[in-house]
Amino acid sequence: MIGLLASIFLFLIIAFRTNRNITGNQIVHIWLFTIAFQCTFDVFVEIKYDGYWYFDKEIEWIDLLPHLFIIPPVNMMFLNWYPFKSSIYLKGLYIFLWVIGILIYESLTLLPQPFGYFNYGWWKLSYAAVLDPFLFIFLLLFYKFICKLEKASS
């Protein structure tokens, strides 16, 4: 629980204090998209197939905290600092470095409680290593879609 609460506090502070590029409307869209996407994925991998779980295998209200307050601000930071006008090489390197950072963070969440809060069933860190770049690309596509909608409505 200590690790979760510290992460929430740190990620929220960093995401909102360093934000220079993402509008309030975009933040709401990213936040809700992230929650919906993560919950949809977790319904299958976490709940149906016991791939991983938060705290313990039972569904509890506390399980909402990572869904609501960990991934959304991380996605804000990723998009805020993304090098949109750089070369494809730098964009790829940026995604690669973020994946490494997320894998390190996920490893830390596997520590025993009170510092860790995440547990593996059959899921492995290597699965996340393969999946995370695609999730970032999907997030980028959604963000570009939001930007086009905003531009078309103004």
Side-chain angles (χ1 to χ4, degrees):
M1 184 65 132
I2 292 171
L4 175 64
L5 294 176
S7 296
I8 289 171
F9 179 76
L10 183 66
F11 293 162
L12 286 172
I13 295 292
I14 293 171
F16 283 99
R17 289 251 172 131
T18 64
N19 180 34
R20 301 287 180 262
N21 302 315
I22 304 172
T23 66
N25 182 50
Q26 292 168 348
I27 289 170
V28 170
H29 277 86
I30 292 161
W31 210 280
L32 294 176
F33 168 80
T34 301
I35 293 168
F37 193 80
Q38 183 180 5
C39 285
T40 302
F41 187 82
D42 282 358
V43 161
F44 292 98
V45 177
E46 178 185 354
I47 298 168
K48 184 173 183 176
Y49 297 116
D50 291 326
Y52 54 77
W53 56 89
Y54 301 93
F55 298 103
D56 58 51
K57 286 187 178 185
E58 299 299 317
I59 299 172
E60 299 178 14
W61 286 105
I62 197 165
D63 295 345
L64 288 174
L65 291 177
H67 290 87
L68 298 175
F69 301 112
I70 294 286
I71 307 300
V74 169
N75 283 349
M76 276 181 61
M77 290 183 281
F78 174 82
L79 290 170
N80 185 54
W81 302 325
Y82 186 78
F84 286 101
K85 296 179 180 175
S86 296
S87 69
I88 192 79
Y89 170 77
L90 286 178
K91 291 175 182 177
L93 179 62
Y94 182 82
I95 291 172
F96 175 78
L97 292 174
W98 269 86
V99 169
I100 297 299
I102 285 179
L103 294 175
I104 292 168
Y105 177 76
E106 189 170 318
S107 298
L108 293 173
T109 65
L110 294 168
L111 291 171
Q113 290 190 34
F115 298 103
Y117 60 91
F118 196 55
N119 300 282
Y120 282 163
W122 54 263
W123 189 262
K124 297 179 181 174
L125 197 61
S126 59
Y127 299 160
V130 171
L131 187 61
D132 287 350
F134 294 103
L135 296 175
F136 279 131
I137 291 167
F138 196 51
L139 175 65
L140 282 165
L141 292 172
F142 181 75
Y143 178 72
K144 289 179 181 182
F145 174 69
I146 294 168
C147 292
K148 283 184 183 182
L149 287 177
E150 284 183 338
K151 193 172 186 179
S153 69
S154 59

Coordinates of all heavy atoms in Angstrom, one line a residue, residues 33-81:
F33 N -10.1 7.3 -21.6 CA -9.6 6.3 -22.5 C -8.7 5.3 -21.8 O -8.9 4.1 -21.9 CB -8.9 6.9 -23.7 CG -8.1 5.9 -24.5 CD1 -8.8 5.2 -25.5 CD2 -6.8 5.7 -24.4 CE1 -8.1 4.3 -26.3 CE2 -6.1 4.9 -25.2 CZ -6.7 4.1 -26.1
T34 N -7.8 5.8 -21.0 CA -6.9 4.9 -20.3 C -7.6 4.0 -19.3 O -7.4 2.8 -19.3 CB -5.8 5.7 -19.5 OG1 -5.1 6.5 -20.4 CG2 -4.9 4.9 -18.8
I35 N -8.6 4.5 -18.5 CA -9.3 3.8 -17.6 C -10.2 2.7 -18.3 O -10.2 1.5 -17.9 CB -10.2 4.7 -16.7 CG1 -9.4 5.5 -15.8 CG2 -11.2 3.8 -15.9 CD1 -10.1 6.6 -15.1
A36 N -10.8 3.1 -19.4 CA -11.7 2.2 -20.1 C -10.9 1.1 -20.7 O -11.2 -0.1 -20.7 CB -12.5 2.9 -21.2
F37 N -9.7 1.4 -21.3 CA -8.9 0.4 -22.0 C -8.3 -0.5 -21.0 O -8.3 -1.8 -21.2 CB -7.8 1.1 -22.8 CG -7.1 0.3 -23.8 CD1 -7.6 0.0 -25.0 CD2 -5.9 -0.3 -23.5 CE1 -7.0 -0.9 -25.9 CE2 -5.2 -1.1 -24.3 CZ -5.8 -1.4 -25.6
Q38 N -7.8 0.0 -19.9 CA -7.2 -0.9 -18.9 C -8.2 -1.8 -18.2 O -7.9 -2.9 -18.0 CB -6.5 0.0 -17.8 CG -5.7 -0.9 -16.8 CD -5.0 -0.1 -15.7 OE1 -5.1 1.1 -15.7 NE2 -4.3 -0.8 -14.9
C39 N -9.4 -1.2 -17.9 CA -10.4 -2.1 -17.3 C -10.9 -3.2 -18.2 O -11.1 -4.3 -17.8 CB -11.6 -1.2 -16.8 SG -11.2 -0.2 -15.4
T40 N -11.0 -2.8 -19.5 CA -11.4 -3.8 -20.5 C -10.4 -5.0 -20.5 O -10.7 -6.1 -20.5 CB -11.6 -3.2 -21.9 OG1 -12.6 -2.2 -21.7 CG2 -12.1 -4.2 -22.9
F41 N -9.1 -4.6 -20.6 CA -8.1 -5.6 -20.7 C -8.0 -6.4 -19.4 O -7.9 -7.6 -19.5 CB -6.7 -4.9 -20.9 CG -5.6 -5.8 -21.1 CD1 -5.3 -6.3 -22.4 CD2 -4.7 -6.1 -20.1 CE1 -4.2 -7.2 -22.6 CE2 -3.6 -7.0 -20.3 CZ -3.4 -7.5 -21.6
D42 N -8.2 -5.7 -18.3 CA -8.1 -6.4 -17.0 C -9.3 -7.4 -16.7 O -9.1 -8.4 -16.0 CB -7.9 -5.4 -15.8 CG -6.5 -4.9 -15.7 OD1 -5.7 -5.3 -16.5 OD2 -6.3 -4.0 -14.8
V43 N -10.4 -7.1 -17.3 CA -11.6 -8.0 -17.1 C -11.2 -9.4 -17.6 O -11.5 -10.4 -17.0 CB -12.8 -7.5 -17.9 CG1 -13.8 -8.6 -18.1 CG2 -13.4 -6.3 -17.1
F44 N -10.4 -9.4 -18.7 CA -10.1 -10.7 -19.2 C -8.8 -11.3 -18.6 O -8.8 -12.4 -18.0 CB -9.9 -10.6 -20.8 CG -11.2 -10.4 -21.5 CD1 -11.5 -9.1 -21.8 CD2 -12.1 -11.4 -21.7 CE1 -12.7 -8.9 -22.5 CE2 -13.3 -11.2 -22.3 CZ -13.6 -9.9 -22.7
V45 N -7.7 -10.5 -18.6 CA -6.4 -11.1 -18.2 C -6.4 -11.2 -16.7 O -5.9 -12.2 -16.1 CB -5.3 -10.2 -18.6 CG1 -3.9 -10.7 -18.1 CG2 -5.2 -10.1 -20.2
E46 N -6.9 -10.2 -15.9 CA -6.9 -10.3 -14.5 C -8.0 -11.2 -13.9 O -7.8 -12.1 -13.1 CB -7.0 -8.9 -13.9 CG -7.0 -8.9 -12.4 CD -7.2 -7.5 -11.8 OE1 -7.2 -6.5 -12.6 OE2 -7.4 -7.4 -10.6
I47 N -9.2 -10.8 -14.3 CA -10.4 -11.5 -13.6 C -10.7 -12.8 -14.2 O -10.9 -13.8 -13.5 CB -11.6 -10.5 -13.7 CG1 -11.3 -9.2 -12.9 CG2 -12.8 -11.2 -13.1 CD1 -12.3 -8.1 -13.1
K48 N -10.9 -12.9 -15.5 CA -11.3 -14.2 -16.1 C -10.2 -15.2 -16.1 O -10.4 -16.4 -15.8 CB -11.8 -13.9 -17.6 CG -12.3 -15.2 -18.2 CD -12.9 -14.9 -19.6 CE -13.5 -16.2 -20.1 NZ -14.2 -16.0 -21.3
Y49 N -8.9 -14.8 -16.5 CA -7.9 -15.8 -16.7 C -6.8 -15.8 -15.5 O -5.8 -16.5 -15.6 CB -7.2 -15.6 -18.0 CG -8.1 -15.8 -19.2 CD1 -8.4 -14.7 -20.0 CD2 -8.7 -17.0 -19.4 CE1 -9.3 -14.9 -21.1 CE2 -9.5 -17.2 -20.5 CZ -9.8 -16.2 -21.3 OH -10.7 -16.4 -22.4
D50 N -7.0 -15.0 -14.5 CA -6.0 -14.9 -13.4 C -4.6 -14.7 -13.8 O -3.7 -15.3 -13.2 CB -6.1 -16.2 -12.5 CG -7.4 -16.3 -11.8 OD1 -8.0 -15.2 -11.4 OD2 -8.0 -17.4 -11.6
G51 N -4.4 -13.9 -14.8 CA -3.0 -13.6 -15.2 C -2.2 -12.8 -14.2 O -1.0 -13.0 -14.0
Y52 N -2.9 -11.8 -13.6 CA -2.3 -11.0 -12.6 C -3.4 -10.4 -11.7 O -4.6 -10.5 -12.1 CB -1.3 -9.9 -13.1 CG -2.0 -9.0 -14.1 CD1 -2.9 -8.0 -13.8 CD2 -1.8 -9.2 -15.5 CE1 -3.5 -7.2 -14.7 CE2 -2.4 -8.3 -16.4 CZ -3.2 -7.4 -16.0 OH -3.8 -6.6 -16.9
W53 N -3.0 -9.8 -10.6 CA -4.1 -9.1 -9.8 C -3.4 -8.1 -8.9 O -2.2 -8.1 -8.7 CB -4.8 -10.1 -9.0 CG -4.0 -11.0 -8.1 CD1 -3.6 -10.8 -6.8 CD2 -3.4 -12.3 -8.5 NE1 -2.8 -11.8 -6.4 CE2 -2.7 -12.7 -7.4 CE3 -3.4 -13.0 -9.6 CZ2 -1.9 -13.9 -7.4 CZ3 -2.7 -14.2 -9.6 CH2 -2.0 -14.7 -8.5
Y54 N -4.2 -7.2 -8.4 CA -3.7 -6.2 -7.4 C -4.1 -6.7 -6.0 O -5.2 -7.1 -5.8 CB -4.4 -4.9 -7.7 CG -4.2 -4.3 -9.1 CD1 -5.0 -4.6 -10.2 CD2 -3.0 -3.6 -9.4 CE1 -4.8 -4.1 -11.4 CE2 -2.8 -3.1 -10.6 CZ -3.7 -3.4 -11.7 OH -3.4 -3.0 -12.9
F55 N -3.1 -6.6 -5.1 CA -3.3 -7.0 -3.7 C -3.6 -8.5 -3.6 O -2.7 -9.2 -3.2 CB -4.3 -6.1 -3.0 CG -3.8 -4.6 -3.0 CD1 -4.4 -3.7 -3.8 CD2 -2.8 -4.2 -2.2 CE1 -4.0 -2.4 -3.8 CE2 -2.4 -2.9 -2.2 CZ -3.0 -2.0 -3.0
D56 N -4.8 -8.9 -3.8 CA -5.1 -10.3 -3.8 C -6.1 -10.6 -4.9 O -6.6 -9.7 -5.6 CB -5.7 -10.7 -2.4 CG -6.9 -10.0 -2.0 OD1 -7.9 -9.9 -2.8 OD2 -6.9 -9.4 -0.8
K57 N -6.4 -11.9 -5.1 CA -7.2 -12.3 -6.2 C -8.7 -11.9 -6.2 O -9.4 -11.9 -7.2 CB -7.2 -13.9 -6.3 CG -5.9 -14.4 -6.9 CD -6.0 -15.8 -7.1 CE -4.6 -16.3 -7.7 NZ -4.7 -17.7 -8.1
E58 N -9.2 -11.5 -5.0 CA -10.5 -11.0 -4.9 C -10.6 -9.6 -5.5 O -9.7 -8.8 -5.3 CB -11.0 -11.1 -3.5 CG -11.0 -12.4 -2.8 CD -11.9 -13.4 -3.5 OE1 -13.0 -13.0 -3.9 OE2 -11.5 -14.6 -3.8
I59 N -11.8 -9.3 -6.0 CA -12.0 -7.9 -6.5 C -12.4 -7.1 -5.3 O -13.4 -7.4 -4.6 CB -13.1 -7.9 -7.6 CG1 -12.7 -8.7 -8.8 CG2 -13.4 -6.5 -8.0 CD1 -13.8 -8.9 -9.8
E60 N -11.7 -6.0 -5.1 CA -11.9 -5.1 -4.0 C -11.9 -3.6 -4.5 O -11.3 -3.3 -5.5 CB -10.9 -5.3 -2.9 CG -10.9 -6.7 -2.3 CD -9.8 -6.9 -1.3 OE1 -9.2 -5.9 -0.8 OE2 -9.5 -8.1 -1.0
W61 N -12.5 -2.8 -3.7 CA -12.5 -1.3 -4.1 C -11.1 -0.7 -4.2 O -10.9 0.1 -5.1 CB -13.3 -0.5 -3.0 CG -14.8 -0.8 -3.1 CD1 -15.6 -1.6 -2.3 CD2 -15.7 -0.3 -4.2 NE1 -16.9 -1.6 -2.7 CE2 -17.0 -0.8 -3.9 CE3 -15.5 0.5 -5.3 CZ2 -18.1 -0.6 -4.7 CZ3 -16.6 0.7 -6.1 CH2 -17.9 0.2 -5.8
I62 N -10.2 -1.2 -3.4 CA -8.9 -0.7 -3.5 C -8.2 -0.9 -4.8 O -7.3 -0.2 -5.3 CB -8.0 -1.2 -2.3 CG1 -6.8 -0.3 -2.2 CG2 -7.6 -2.6 -2.5 CD1 -6.0 -0.5 -0.9
D63 N -8.7 -2.0 -5.5 CA -8.1 -2.3 -6.9 C -8.4 -1.2 -7.9 O -7.7 -1.1 -8.9 CB -8.8 -3.6 -7.4 CG -8.4 -4.8 -6.6 OD1 -7.4 -4.7 -5.8 OD2 -9.0 -5.8 -6.7
L64 N -9.3 -0.3 -7.6 CA -9.6 0.8 -8.5 C -8.5 1.9 -8.5 O -8.3 2.6 -9.4 CB -10.9 1.5 -8.1 CG -12.2 0.7 -8.5 CD1 -13.4 1.5 -7.9 CD2 -12.3 0.5 -10.0
L65 N -7.8 2.0 -7.4 CA -6.7 3.0 -7.3 C -5.7 3.0 -8.4 O -5.4 4.0 -9.0 CB -6.0 3.0 -5.9 CG -6.9 3.4 -4.7 CD1 -6.2 3.2 -3.4 CD2 -7.4 4.8 -4.9
P66 N -5.1 1.8 -8.7 CA -4.2 1.8 -9.8 C -4.8 2.1 -11.2 O -4.2 2.8 -12.0 CB -3.6 0.3 -9.9 CG -4.0 -0.2 -8.5 CD -5.1 0.5 -8.0
H67 N -6.1 1.7 -11.4 CA -6.8 2.0 -12.6 C -7.1 3.5 -12.8 O -7.0 4.0 -13.9 CB -8.1 1.2 -12.7 CG -7.9 -0.3 -12.8 ND1 -7.8 -1.1 -11.8 CD2 -7.9 -1.0 -13.9 CE1 -7.6 -2.4 -12.2 NE2 -7.7 -2.3 -13.5
L68 N -7.4 4.1 -11.7 CA -7.8 5.5 -11.7 C -6.7 6.5 -11.6 O -6.7 7.6 -12.2 CB -8.8 5.8 -10.6 CG -10.2 5.0 -10.7 CD1 -11.0 5.4 -9.4 CD2 -10.9 5.3 -11.9
F69 N -5.6 6.1 -10.9 CA -4.6 7.1 -10.5 C -3.1 6.8 -10.8 O -2.3 7.5 -10.5 CB -4.7 7.5 -9.1 CG -6.1 8.0 -8.7 CD1 -6.9 7.3 -7.9 CD2 -6.5 9.2 -9.2 CE1 -8.2 7.8 -7.6 CE2 -7.8 9.7 -8.9 CZ -8.6 9.0 -8.1
I70 N -2.9 5.6 -11.4 CA -1.5 5.3 -11.8 C -1.3 5.5 -13.3 O -0.4 6.3 -13.7 CB -1.1 3.8 -11.4 CG1 -1.1 3.7 -9.8 CG2 0.2 3.4 -11.9 CD1 0.0 4.4 -9.1
I71 N -2.0 4.7 -14.1 CA -1.7 4.7 -15.5 C -2.2 6.0 -16.2 O -1.4 6.5 -17.1 CB -2.4 3.5 -16.2 CG1 -2.0 2.2 -15.6 CG2 -2.1 3.5 -17.7 CD1 -0.5 1.9 -15.6
P72 N -3.3 6.6 -15.9 CA -3.6 7.9 -16.6 C -2.6 9.0 -16.5 O -2.2 9.6 -17.5 CB -5.0 8.3 -15.9 CG -5.6 7.0 -15.5 CD -4.4 6.2 -15.1
P73 N -2.0 9.3 -15.3 CA -1.0 10.3 -15.2 C 0.3 9.9 -15.9 O 1.0 10.7 -16.5 CB -0.8 10.6 -13.7 CG -1.3 9.4 -13.0 CD -2.4 8.9 -13.9
V74 N 0.6 8.6 -15.9 CA 1.8 8.1 -16.7 C 1.6 8.4 -18.2 O 2.5 8.8 -18.9 CB 2.0 6.6 -16.4 CG1 3.1 6.1 -17.3 CG2 2.5 6.5 -14.9
N75 N 0.4 8.1 -18.6 CA 0.1 8.4 -20.1 C 0.2 9.9 -20.4 O 0.6 10.3 -21.4 CB -1.3 7.8 -20.5 CG -1.2 6.3 -20.6 OD1 -0.2 5.7 -20.7 ND2 -2.4 5.7 -20.8
M76 N -0.3 10.7 -19.4 CA -0.1 12.2 -19.6 C 1.3 12.5 -19.8 O 1.7 13.3 -20.7 CB -0.7 12.9 -18.4 CG -2.2 13.2 -18.4 SD -2.7 14.1 -16.9 CE -1.8 15.6 -17.1
M77 N 2.2 12.0 -18.9 CA 3.6 12.3 -19.0 C 4.2 11.9 -20.3 O 5.0 12.6 -20.9 CB 4.4 11.7 -17.8 CG 4.1 12.4 -16.5 SD 5.0 11.7 -15.1 CE 4.2 10.2 -14.7
F78 N 3.8 10.6 -20.7 CA 4.3 10.1 -21.9 C 4.0 11.0 -23.1 O 4.8 11.3 -23.9 CB 3.8 8.7 -22.2 CG 4.1 8.1 -23.5 CD1 5.3 7.5 -23.7 CD2 3.2 8.2 -24.6 CE1 5.7 7.0 -25.0 CE2 3.5 7.7 -25.8 CZ 4.8 7.1 -26.0
L79 N 2.7 11.4 -23.2 CA 2.3 12.3 -24.3 C 2.9 13.7 -24.2 O 3.2 14.3 -25.2 CB 0.8 12.3 -24.4 CG 0.1 11.0 -24.8 CD1 -1.4 11.1 -24.6 CD2 0.4 10.7 -26.2
N80 N 3.0 14.2 -23.0 CA 3.5 15.6 -22.8 C 4.9 15.7 -23.3 O 5.3 16.7 -23.9 CB 3.3 16.0 -21.3 CG 3.7 17.4 -21.1 OD1 3.2 18.3 -21.7 ND2 4.6 17.6 -20.2
W81 N 5.7 14.7 -23.1 CA 7.1 14.8 -23.4 C 7.4 14.1 -24.7 O 8.6 14.1 -25.1 CB 8.0 14.2 -22.3 CG 7.7 14.8 -21.0 CD1 7.5 16.2 -20.7 CD2 7.8 14.2 -19.7 NE1 7.4 16.4 -19.4 CE2 7.5 15.2 -18.7 CE3 8.0 12.9 -19.3 CZ2 7.5 14.9 -17.4 CZ3 7.9 12.6 -17.9 CH2 7.6 13.6 -17.0

